[in-house]
Amino acid sequence: MKRKGSQVIIDTLLKQGVDTVFGYPGGQNIPIYDALYGVKDITHILTRHEQGAIHAADGYARATGKVGVVFATSGPGATNLVTGLANANMDSVPLVAVTGQVPTSMIGNDSFQEADIYGISVPITKYNYLVKDVTKLERVLVEAFHIAKSGRTGPVLVDVPRDIQTSEVVSDKSLELRLPSYQPSIKGHAKQIIEATKAIESAEKPVIYAGGGVLSSGASEELFSLAETGSIPVAMTLMGLGSFPGTHSLSLGMLGMHGTKYANIAVAEADVLIAIGTRFSDRVTGKPEHFAVNAKIIHIDIDPAEIGKIKKCHIPIVGNCKMVLKVILEKLKPNKREKWVAKLNELKKEFPMAYSDSDKVIKPQYIIEQIYEATKGNAIITTDVGQHQMWTAQYYKFENPRTLITSGGLGTMGFGFPAAIGAKIGCPKKTVVNITGDGSFQMTIQEIATAVQYKIPIKVAILNNGYLGMVRQWQELFYGGRYSETDLGVSPDFVKIAEGYRAKGILVQRKEDVKSAIAKALEMEEPVIMDFRVDREENVMPMIPPGGTVKNVLG
Ligand SMILES: Cc1ncc(C[n+]2csc(CCOP(=O)(O)OP(=O)(O)O)c2C)c(N)n1
């Protein structure tokens, strides 16, 4: 049977089980949109900007574990995906982006709306394709999904010129994957796993350092057993929050620059560090040569390129975290480690996470505590980037996997709101709250229209300090208080903006109104924007200055 390339695209998505696509049409992908017309099993969400579409697909993927799919047209449509591709790439999020391209005969002519998205996206995708032969299209798409969701997951871009979309092809019946050079190691080396098990057993002061790889490989249960069997405390990266319950007595909370003091002290004192699904980011390690200096390091990661990249490790294990942990658990003997656990409990008492609350102004941390109380740690929280992101990581105790959706690697302002839209579409029964800053929210504010159009009842909590708060904090602490271009000046009336888009808006200026506003917003079955006017110059503490160690901690 002959089909057009555009039909092949839609049929392949259906075969891959895709039920939702986020996107934006244009001249060079009209045929794809035409093939999508009337297809009942795929819901298309028309955002107001391609950046919104790709962040929504990203939020959908992080919340569900499925592959997110985004469509954009050529040129500006495709280049508007660049931030979202880089964002997904840094945080290893499985995505497939299908872009329209000018017809093959016109490529390289500076044609109208032509951009070399293949070239542009090479360093910011896991893999990418420019399809020049319609007979290869189906195979490319099947490969794209396989590559996006296997090994270290990530974004794959497929650029399809318009003539490829419109030309006809006979189905490739013999379609099977042939990717001889792409064979991720999954199981981990048996001998290394035995070495690691022995090192853990003989450790007196072990610490687990859990990253996003625990969540993407679905290894939370195994992590839980490892921690409990060996009485091993768990420190998490920003991306790893939710992989281990934040309220568990062995949880040390977040590690690194704005992590808890006790997590950072524990790692500094550890004799064995079990790094699982993490990449030793500078936000965690500071100066790598000063990080975990007393520890024998076990590093479990699916991506061999991450092992030894930043920090020398003693026992490298390349494999899927879940599978490797399962094998370790088969052998690992229980150990109560009473002395070590008692010492860490002391440290928790000595250096608790705290802030000075006030009745006169609203403290941002207080709002997060109230959102936590109201949702009992069960909501999906998305954030943007800045102080509000760090306070969320510190004060919302994430209990379950895939409940914190945040831009960890790229640090993308404007991510959180569209990501909330995607997360809510993927998990309609969950409460989804975007905690954001007044700066970040304005970067993708137009997506309120999307939330309203598709009746997506997400809640937004703007911690409105009138500043680009995190940059202001650095200027205060490290640049002598010279606030160069961080005062946002005249901010819009967010309630009116919400109402202009036909959403609900709530202004909160007094501490005593915080609880009731959150309760009211959560009850409403529609998108609600809460504008909390918070203490303007509150800082995120504790803080290890960039490149420093726990000895230099502020706050
Ligand atoms: C797209 C983008 N541009 C610039 C930055 C640099 N940056 C990091 S945090 C921050 C301030 C964020 O302000 P806001 O969203 O109001 O949050 P707050 O820190 O006040 O909570 C800026 C400008 C960024 N992360 N992303």
Side-chain angles (χ1 to χ4, degrees):
M1 195 187 61
K2 275 193 169 176
R3 291 177 299 167
K4 283 195 177 145
S6 54
Q7 193 60 48
V8 169
I9 293 173
I10 301 303
D11 290 348
T12 311
L13 295 192
L14 285 165
K15 269 197 211 154
Q16 292 289 328
V18 172
D19 53 23
T20 311
V21 172
F22 302 87
Y24 209 91
Q28 305 302 350
N29 68 355
I30 290 185
I32 302 176
Y33 273 92
D34 189 57
L36 183 67
Y37 189 74
V39 173
K40 288 202 190 66
D41 293 336
I42 295 181
T43 305
H44 181 276
I45 305 291
L46 175 68
T47 56
R48 295 301 178 268
H49 189 298
E50 288 87 355
Q51 186 181 357
I54 190 162
H55 291 329
D58 181 318
Y60 173 92
R62 294 190 206 220
T64 61
K66 297 194 248 177
V67 178
V69 181
V70 59
F71 287 171
T73 190
S74 64
T79 55
N80 275 346
L81 298 182
V82 166
T83 302
L85 289 169
N87 187 72
N89 198 44
M90 289 281 268
D91 288 347
S92 311
V93 179
L95 283 187
V96 171
V98 180
T99 47
Q101 181 55 278
V102 300
T104 37
S105 59
M106 291 167 75
I107 291 178
N109 290 358
D110 290 339
S111 313
F112 178 63
Q113 292 195 327
E114 182 186 358
D116 175 13
I117 193 63
Y118 173 82
I120 292 169
S121 65
V122 167
I124 52 168
T125 50
K126 181 172 177 187
Y127 204 69
N128 64 358
Y129 298 88
L130 168 60
V131 184
K132 287 186 163 166
D133 173 353
V134 71
T135 64
K136 304 229 167 91
L137 181 59
E138 186 172 359
R139 176 174 299 279
V140 161
L141 287 163
V142 171
E143 281 179 15
F145 275 87
H146 177 70
I147 292 170
K149 68 187 175 197
S150 60
R152 177 177 185 167
T153 53
V156 180
L157 179 123
V158 183
D159 197 25
V160 192
R162 201 182 59 204
D163 55 318
I164 303 295
Q165 300 167 34
T166 51
S167 44
E168 294 198 318
V169 64
V170 179
S171 293
D172 185 352
K173 288 216 180 71
S174 63
L175 197 82
E176 58 183 61
L177 277 178
R178 279 196 304 257
L179 292 166
S181 58
Y182 177 72
Q183 302 291 344
S185 285
I186 295 173
K187 278 162 94 183
H189 194 284
K191 271 196 184 154
Q192 295 294 88
I193 295 180
I194 293 173
E195 277 293 297
T197 313
K198 279 192 207 150
I200 297 169
E201 277 176 352
S202 59
E204 284 176 20
K205 299 196 268 180
V207 172
I208 294 169
Y209 157 27
V214 175
L215 294 166
S216 53
S217 67
S220 289
E221 270 178 42
E222 289 73 14
L223 170 64
F224 192 87
S225 304
L226 175 66
E228 287 213 322
T229 308
S231 306
I232 308 172
V234 183
M236 286 164 273
T237 67
L238 176 66
M239 296 303 296
L241 289 174
S243 63
F244 186 76
T247 53
H248 193 288
S249 61
L250 287 167
S251 169
L252 296 173
M254 186 168 69
L255 180 67
M257 181 178 277
H258 291 296
T260 62
K261 271 194 203 169
Y262 40 89
N264 287 314
I265 296 173
V267 169
E269 292 206 3
D271 58 357
V272 169
L273 185 71
I274 311 158
I276 312 172
T278 186
R279 59 186 175 83
F280 292 77
S281 150
D282 56 281
R283 293 289 113 147
V284 167
T285 57
K287 267 212 177 79
E289 56 273 32
H290 297 311
F291 179 71
V293 280
N294 299 309
K296 186 180 234 187
I297 297 178
I298 301 166
H299 190 181
I300 307 167
D301 204 286
I302 188 88
D303 184 353
E306 287 302 342
I307 292 188
K309 184 177 92 180
I310 288 169
K311 179 91 187 163
K312 184 172 168 282
C313 99
H314 306 88
I315 308 178
I317 303 175
V318 179
N320 170 286
C321 299
K322 188 181 179 78
M323 292 173 87
V324 172
L325 290 183
K326 267 196 173 143
V327 184
I328 292 179
L329 285 166
E330 281 166 16
K331 303 249 160 48
L332 191 75
K333 293 192 199 83
N335 186 337
K336 290 225 164 13
R337 293 200 168 82
E338 278 155 2
K339 244 171 99 183
W340 180 225
V341 172
K343 163 137 202 221
L344 293 173
N345 286 339
E346 288 293 302
L347 286 173
K348 282 186 185 175
K349 277 195 206 124
E350 199 179 336
F351 304 113
M353 276 307 299
Y355 63 96
S356 60
D357 203 2
S358 159
D359 286 331
K360 295 199 186 72
V361 280
I362 312 179
K363 292 284 180 167
Q365 299 93 326
Y366 173 76
I367 296 167
I368 290 160
E369 285 177 339
Q370 293 312 313
I371 295 174
Y372 172 74
E373 290 299 326
T375 56
K376 303 195 172 52
N378 282 321
I380 293 178
I381 306 288
T382 73
T383 81
D384 284 280
V385 174
Q387 294 182 307
H388 63 273
Q389 178 188 33
M390 291 300 121
W391 285 317
T392 303
Q394 293 175 332
Y395 289 93
Y396 194 96
K397 292 178 222 63
F398 293 93
E399 291 295 289
N400 297 304
R402 301 190 182 279
T403 50
L404 171 60
I405 293 180
T406 190
S407 169
L410 196 66
T412 309
M413 291 170 71
F415 169 75
F417 181 50
I421 292 178
K424 184 70 182 171
I425 289 171
C427 303
K429 293 205 175 109
K430 288 242 171 182
T431 300
V432 178
V433 184
N434 168 219
I435 299 176
T436 185
D438 43 331
S440 291
F441 188 53
Q442 291 185 67
M443 287 210 171
T444 44
I445 197 165
Q446 73 285 349
E447 301 306 336
I448 302 175
T450 311
V452 170
Q453 177 174 340
Y454 294 97
K455 300 190 170 53
I456 306 166
I458 47 176
K459 317 298 163 189
V460 178
I462 308 172
L463 309 190
N464 185 350
N465 52 18
Y467 280 119
L468 297 172
M470 188 57 101
V471 184
R472 185 209 58 74
Q473 174 169 338
W474 282 52
Q475 289 172 334
E476 179 191 328
L477 298 175
F478 311 122
Y479 291 86
R482 290 151 60 90
Y483 293 173
S484 181
E485 303 301 325
T486 43
D487 188 336
L488 279 163
V490 183
S491 266
D493 179 333
F494 288 110
V495 171
K496 281 204 179 137
I497 296 256
E499 287 168 359
Y501 277 112
R502 301 172 216 287
K504 279 279 172 319
I506 305 177
L507 174 65
V508 187
Q509 306 194 76
R510 298 182 314 170
K511 187 184 177 191
E512 56 266 37
D513 298 334
V514 169
K515 261 189 183 182
S516 56
I518 294 169
K520 196 168 144 201
L522 291 177
E523 263 169 31
M524 286 194 249
E525 300 272 314
E526 57 196 307
V528 184
I529 316 297
M530 292 172 275
D531 177 4
F532 293 102
R533 301 291 166 83
V534 299
D535 188 355
R536 289 202 73 198
E537 300 203 359
E538 182 70 10
N539 284 337
V540 183
M541 290 295 161
M543 177 178 198
I544 300 178
T549 72
V550 68
K551 286 185 193 133
N552 317 109
V553 69
L554 309 173

Coordinates of all heavy atoms in Angstrom, one line a residue, residues 31 75 118 130 189 193 229 231 244 313-314 365 386 484 492 498-499 503 538 543-544:
P31 N 1.5 19.5 5.6 CA 1.1 18.1 5.2 C 1.0 17.2 6.5 O 0.2 16.3 6.5 CB 2.2 17.6 4.3 CG 2.8 18.9 3.7 CD 2.7 19.9 4.8
G75 N 12.6 26.7 9.9 CA 13.0 28.1 10.3 C 12.8 28.5 11.7 O 13.2 27.8 12.6
Y118 N 19.2 20.8 11.6 CA 20.0 19.6 11.8 C 21.4 20.0 12.3 O 21.8 19.5 13.4 CB 20.2 18.8 10.4 CG 21.1 17.7 10.5 CD1 20.7 16.5 11.1 CD2 22.5 17.9 10.2 CE1 21.6 15.4 11.2 CE2 23.4 16.8 10.3 CZ 22.9 15.6 10.8 OH 23.8 14.6 11.0
L130 N 18.2 14.3 9.2 CA 17.6 15.1 8.2 C 17.2 14.0 7.2 O 18.1 13.3 6.6 CB 18.5 16.1 7.6 CG 18.1 16.7 6.2 CD1 16.8 17.5 6.4 CD2 19.2 17.7 5.7
H189 N 29.0 -4.6 34.9 CA 30.0 -5.7 34.9 C 29.9 -6.4 36.3 O 30.0 -5.9 37.3 CB 31.4 -5.0 34.8 CG 32.5 -6.0 34.5 ND1 33.0 -6.8 35.4 CD2 33.1 -6.2 33.3 CE1 33.9 -7.5 34.9 NE2 34.0 -7.2 33.6
I193 N 30.3 -5.2 40.2 CA 29.2 -5.2 41.1 C 29.6 -5.9 42.4 O 29.2 -5.4 43.5 CB 27.9 -5.8 40.4 CG1 27.5 -4.9 39.2 CG2 26.8 -5.9 41.4 CD1 26.3 -5.4 38.5
T229 N 18.4 -1.6 53.9 CA 19.2 -2.8 54.2 C 20.5 -2.4 54.9 O 20.9 -3.0 55.9 CB 19.5 -3.6 53.0 OG1 18.3 -3.8 52.3 CG2 20.1 -4.9 53.3
S231 N 21.2 0.7 56.2 CA 21.1 1.9 57.0 C 22.0 3.0 56.4 O 22.8 3.6 57.1 CB 21.4 1.7 58.4 OG 20.6 0.6 58.9
F244 N 13.8 9.2 46.7 CA 13.7 8.6 48.0 C 12.9 9.5 48.8 O 13.0 10.8 48.7 CB 15.2 8.5 48.6 CG 15.3 7.8 49.9 CD1 15.2 6.4 50.0 CD2 15.4 8.5 51.1 CE1 15.3 5.8 51.2 CE2 15.5 7.9 52.3 CZ 15.5 6.5 52.4
C313 N 36.8 7.9 39.9 CA 36.0 7.0 40.7 C 36.7 5.7 40.8 O 37.6 5.3 40.0 CB 34.6 6.9 40.2 SG 34.2 5.5 39.2
H314 N 36.5 5.0 41.9 CA 37.3 3.8 42.2 C 36.6 2.5 41.7 O 37.2 1.6 41.3 CB 37.5 3.7 43.8 CG 38.1 4.9 44.3 ND1 37.3 6.0 44.8 CD2 39.4 5.2 44.5 CE1 38.2 6.9 45.2 NE2 39.4 6.5 45.0
Q365 N 9.5 30.9 51.7 CA 9.6 29.6 52.2 C 8.3 29.1 52.9 O 7.9 28.0 52.8 CB 10.7 29.4 53.3 CG 12.1 29.8 52.8 CD 12.5 31.2 53.0 OE1 11.6 32.1 53.0 NE2 13.7 31.5 53.3
G386 N 15.6 29.9 39.7 CA 15.9 31.0 40.5 C 15.7 30.6 42.0 O 15.8 29.4 42.3
S484 N 22.7 45.5 39.4 CA 22.7 45.9 38.0 C 21.6 45.2 37.2 O 21.8 44.0 37.0 CB 24.1 45.7 37.4 OG 24.1 46.1 36.1
P492 N 3.6 43.5 35.6 CA 2.2 43.5 35.2 C 1.3 43.1 36.4 O 1.8 42.6 37.4 CB 2.1 42.5 34.1 CG 3.2 41.5 34.3 CD 4.3 42.3 35.0
A498 N -4.2 37.2 34.1 CA -4.9 35.9 34.2 C -6.3 36.1 33.6 O -6.8 35.3 32.8 CB -4.9 35.4 35.6
E499 N -7.0 37.2 34.1 CA -8.4 37.4 33.7 C -8.5 37.7 32.2 O -9.4 37.3 31.6 CB -9.0 38.5 34.6 CG -9.3 38.0 36.0 CD -9.6 39.2 37.0 OE1 -9.6 40.3 36.6 OE2 -9.8 38.8 38.2
A503 N -8.5 33.2 32.7 CA -8.2 32.3 33.8 C -8.5 33.0 35.1 O -9.0 34.2 35.1 CB -6.7 31.9 33.8
E538 N 14.7 38.4 50.5 CA 15.0 37.2 51.2 C 16.1 36.4 50.4 O 16.0 36.4 49.1 CB 13.7 36.3 51.3 CG 13.9 35.0 52.1 CD 14.1 35.2 53.6 OE1 14.0 36.3 54.1 OE2 14.4 34.2 54.2
M543 N 24.1 28.4 51.6 CA 24.7 28.5 50.3 C 26.2 28.3 50.4 O 26.9 28.9 51.2 CB 24.5 29.9 49.7 CG 25.2 30.1 48.4 SD 24.9 31.7 47.7 CE 25.3 31.4 46.0
I544 N 26.7 27.4 49.6 CA 28.1 27.2 49.4 C 28.5 28.0 48.2 O 28.0 27.8 47.1 CB 28.5 25.7 49.2 CG1 28.1 24.8 50.3 CG2 30.0 25.6 48.9 CD1 28.4 23.4 50.2

